[in-house]
């Protein structure tokens, strides 16, 4: 969830991330359930469509680091919250 320190890495698009995940799952001999894969693909299309309006961002808000984006999504009631804080 965190980018390494140093030179900024380019953020892959949501479709690219889903394709990489689906390929990994396929290479390990497993598959997503058909309905789940279709829903996941549709969700990535929604995320992809928002990139333009968010200045190319889809995982982080403009000016937000990936660690801040992760913490924003993590519920304070999550038992792991203090670990990541």
């Amino acid at each position: 969830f965190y980018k390494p320190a140093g030179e900024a890495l380019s953020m892959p698009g949501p479709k690219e991330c889903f394709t990489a995940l689906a390929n990994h799952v396929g290479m390990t001999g497993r598959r997503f359930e058909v309905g789940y894969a279709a829903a996941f693909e549709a969700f990535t299309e929604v995320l992809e469509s928002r990139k333009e309006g968010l200045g190319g961002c889809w995982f982080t808000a403009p000016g937000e680091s990936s660690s801040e984006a992760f913490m924003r999504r993590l519920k304070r009631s999550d038992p792991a919250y203090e670990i990541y804080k």
Side-chain angles (χ1 to χ4, degrees), residues 22-69:
N23 288 343
H24 170 73
V25 169
M27 287 188 295
T28 59
R30 294 172 277 179
R31 293 181 6 189
F32 287 119
E33 293 290 331
V34 175
Y36 182 75
F40 204 175
E41 193 169 349
F43 180 65
T44 60
E45 289 173 8
V46 170
L47 292 176
E48 192 79 41
S49 72
R50 294 179 178 176
K51 280 176 60 174
E52 186 177 335
L54 294 172
C57 300
W58 66 273
F59 179 68
T60 60
E64 181 180 51
S65 71
S66 56
S67 62
E68 291 167 336

